[in-house]
PDB file of all heavy atoms in Angstrom:
ATOM      1  N   LEU Z  52      38.588 101.561 173.072  1.00 93.00           N
ATOM      2  CA  LEU Z  52      39.654 102.284 172.374  1.00 93.00           C
ATOM      3  C   LEU Z  52      40.321 101.395 171.331  1.00 93.00           C
ATOM      4  O   LEU Z  52      40.573 101.823 170.207  1.00 93.00           O
ATOM      5  CB  LEU Z  52      40.701 102.786 173.368  1.00 93.00           C
ATOM      6  CG  LEU Z  52      40.282 103.953 174.249  1.00 93.00           C
ATOM      7  CD1 LEU Z  52      41.318 104.188 175.338  1.00 93.00           C
ATOM      8  CD2 LEU Z  52      40.070 105.203 173.422  1.00 93.00           C
ATOM      9  N   LEU Z  53      40.586 100.167 171.706  1.00 93.00           N
ATOM     10  CA  LEU Z  53      41.226  99.230 170.787  1.00 93.00           C
ATOM     11  C   LEU Z  53      40.385  99.029 169.527  1.00 93.00           C
ATOM     12  O   LEU Z  53      40.890  99.114 168.409  1.00 93.00           O
ATOM     13  CB  LEU Z  53      41.462  97.892 171.491  1.00 93.00           C
ATOM     14  CG  LEU Z  53      42.149  96.814 170.669  1.00 93.00           C
ATOM     15  CD1 LEU Z  53      43.606  97.178 170.415  1.00 93.00           C
ATOM     16  CD2 LEU Z  53      42.052  95.472 171.391  1.00 93.00           C
ATOM     17  N   PHE Z  54      39.092  98.801 169.706  1.00 91.00           N
ATOM     18  CA  PHE Z  54      38.204  98.595 168.561  1.00 91.00           C
ATOM     19  C   PHE Z  54      38.052  99.868 167.742  1.00 91.00           C
ATOM     20  O   PHE Z  54      38.137  99.848 166.525  1.00 91.00           O
ATOM     21  CB  PHE Z  54      36.826  98.123 169.029  1.00 91.00           C
ATOM     22  CG  PHE Z  54      36.728  96.651 169.308  1.00 91.00           C
ATOM     23  CD1 PHE Z  54      37.672  95.979 170.067  1.00 91.00           C
ATOM     24  CD2 PHE Z  54      35.664  95.929 168.814  1.00 91.00           C
ATOM     25  CE1 PHE Z  54      37.566  94.627 170.325  1.00 91.00           C
ATOM     26  CE2 PHE Z  54      35.543  94.567 169.065  1.00 91.00           C
ATOM     27  CZ  PHE Z  54      36.506  93.915 169.825  1.00 91.00           C
ATOM     28  N   LYS Z  55      37.812 100.978 168.430  1.00 91.00           N
ATOM     29  CA  LYS Z  55      37.550 102.239 167.731  1.00 91.00           C
ATOM     30  C   LYS Z  55      38.750 102.686 166.901  1.00 91.00           C
ATOM     31  O   LYS Z  55      38.586 103.181 165.786  1.00 91.00           O
ATOM     32  CB  LYS Z  55      37.183 103.319 168.763  1.00 91.00           C
ATOM     33  CG  LYS Z  55      36.509 104.503 168.186  1.00 91.00           C
ATOM     34  CD  LYS Z  55      35.130 104.150 167.676  1.00 91.00           C
ATOM     35  CE  LYS Z  55      34.407 105.382 167.219  1.00 91.00           C
ATOM     36  NZ  LYS Z  55      33.206 105.080 166.488  1.00 91.00           N
ATOM     37  N   LEU Z  56      39.947 102.477 167.426  1.00 91.00           N
ATOM     38  CA  LEU Z  56      41.152 102.890 166.715  1.00 91.00           C
ATOM     39  C   LEU Z  56      41.574 101.887 165.636  1.00 91.00           C
ATOM     40  O   LEU Z  56      42.546 102.127 164.920  1.00 91.00           O
ATOM     41  CB  LEU Z  56      42.295 103.120 167.706  1.00 91.00           C
ATOM     42  CG  LEU Z  56      42.042 104.282 168.680  1.00 91.00           C
ATOM     43  CD1 LEU Z  56      43.140 104.352 169.725  1.00 91.00           C
ATOM     44  CD2 LEU Z  56      41.905 105.604 167.942  1.00 91.00           C
ATOM     45  N   ASN Z  57      40.821 100.803 165.523  1.00 90.00           N
ATOM     46  CA  ASN Z  57      41.110  99.796 164.498  1.00 90.00           C
ATOM     47  C   ASN Z  57      39.864  99.476 163.672  1.00 90.00           C
ATOM     48  O   ASN Z  57      39.711  98.358 163.184  1.00 90.00           O
ATOM     49  CB  ASN Z  57      41.650  98.521 165.162  1.00 90.00           C
ATOM     50  CG  ASN Z  57      43.040  98.707 165.702  1.00 90.00           C
ATOM     51  OD1 ASN Z  57      44.016  98.657 164.961  1.00 90.00           O
ATOM     52  ND2 ASN Z  57      43.143  98.963 166.996  1.00 90.00           N
ATOM     53  N   MET Z  58      39.006 100.467 163.502  1.00 89.00           N
ATOM     54  CA  MET Z  58      37.761 100.269 162.756  1.00 89.00           C
ATOM     55  C   MET Z  58      37.999  99.782 161.331  1.00 89.00           C
ATOM     56  O   MET Z  58      37.163  99.083 160.773  1.00 89.00           O
ATOM     57  CB  MET Z  58      36.941 101.556 162.724  1.00 89.00           C
ATOM     58  CG  MET Z  58      36.237 101.880 164.028  1.00 89.00           C
ATOM     59  SD  MET Z  58      35.042 100.634 164.526  1.00 89.00           S
ATOM     60  CE  MET Z  58      33.798 100.820 163.262  1.00 89.00           C
ATOM     61  N   ASP Z  59      39.139 100.144 160.768  1.00 89.00           N
ATOM     62  CA  ASP Z  59      39.438  99.725 159.401  1.00 89.00           C
ATOM     63  C   ASP Z  59      39.561  98.205 159.276  1.00 89.00           C
ATOM     64  O   ASP Z  59      39.464  97.663 158.187  1.00 89.00           O
ATOM     65  CB  ASP Z  59      40.719 100.405 158.905  1.00 89.00           C
ATOM     66  CG  ASP Z  59      41.928 100.107 159.773  1.00 89.00           C
ATOM     67  OD1 ASP Z  59      41.786  99.990 161.008  1.00 89.00           O
ATOM     68  OD2 ASP Z  59      43.036  99.998 159.213  1.00 89.00           O
ATOM     69  N   ARG Z  60      39.738  97.517 160.369  1.00 89.00           N
ATOM     70  CA  ARG Z  60      39.855  96.054 160.353  1.00 89.00           C
ATOM     71  C   ARG Z  60      38.530  95.349 160.603  1.00 89.00           C
ATOM     72  O   ARG Z  60      38.443  94.136 160.485  1.00 89.00           O
ATOM     73  CB  ARG Z  60      40.851  95.602 161.413  1.00 89.00           C
ATOM     74  CG  ARG Z  60      42.224  96.113 161.161  1.00 89.00           C
ATOM     75  CD  ARG Z  60      43.152  95.590 162.189  1.00 89.00           C
ATOM     76  NE  ARG Z  60      44.415  96.298 162.061  1.00 89.00           N
ATOM     77  CZ  ARG Z  60      45.428  96.105 162.841  1.00 89.00           C
ATOM     78  NH1 ARG Z  60      45.363  95.241 163.807  1.00 89.00           N
ATOM     79  NH2 ARG Z  60      46.538  96.778 162.656  1.00 89.00           N
ATOM     80  N   LEU Z  61      37.528  96.101 161.014  1.00 88.00           N
ATOM     81  CA  LEU Z  61      36.236  95.509 161.343  1.00 88.00           C
ATOM     82  C   LEU Z  61      35.268  95.679 160.187  1.00 88.00           C
ATOM     83  O   LEU Z  61      35.313  96.666 159.469  1.00 88.00           O
ATOM     84  CB  LEU Z  61      35.668  96.165 162.605  1.00 88.00           C
ATOM     85  CG  LEU Z  61      36.550  96.112 163.840  1.00 88.00           C
ATOM     86  CD1 LEU Z  61      35.897  96.857 164.990  1.00 88.00           C
ATOM     87  CD2 LEU Z  61      36.859  94.679 164.226  1.00 88.00           C
TER      88      LEU Z  61
END
Side-chain angles (χ1 to χ4, degrees):
L52 288 170
L53 181 70
F54 278 48
K55 198 68 174 169
L56 295 174
N57 289 280
M58 285 298 292
D59 58 324
R60 297 183 190 178
L61 304 177

